[in-house]
Amino acid sequence: MALKFINRHLSAEADNRRRFFNEARVLASLSNNAVVTLFDYGEANGCLFMVMEYIEGRELKSLIAAE
């Protein structure tokens, strides 16, 4: 599994919270081999989180830098 956290400072802003939960809802609605599976999302102790499928490989930024 892979965890994505948004720190408390950023999650305190309503616009950031709205975008985070919108991203989670959209990701949860997708089913495609090219998109990770979202297992859960929510808030714990003031931090927003997503629990996603972990896919081993290189980071996207390193792939882009190699171009």
Side-chain angles (χ1 to χ4, degrees):
M1 281 187 231
L3 300 175
K4 177 179 182 175
F5 286 96
I6 303 299
N7 71 41
R8 288 182 183 106
H9 174 72
L10 293 174
S11 63
E13 296 182 29
D15 193 45
N16 291 339
R17 295 174 64 77
R18 194 171 20 260
R19 285 197 325 253
F20 180 87
F21 284 113
N22 187 51
E23 176 185 343
R25 283 189 295 275
V26 169
L27 183 55
S29 72
L30 299 174
S31 178
N32 187 295
N33 288 340
V35 179
V36 297
T37 301
L38 179 67
F39 298 117
D40 194 14
Y41 66 94
E43 182 175 2
N45 299 323
C47 290
L48 303 177
F49 69 89
M50 289 186 200
V51 181
M52 299 177 268
E53 170 186 21
Y54 174 77
I55 298 179
E56 194 168 334
R58 293 173 42 197
E59 291 184 351
L60 180 59
K61 66 181 176 183
S62 68
L63 293 171
I64 292 171
E67 290 294 314

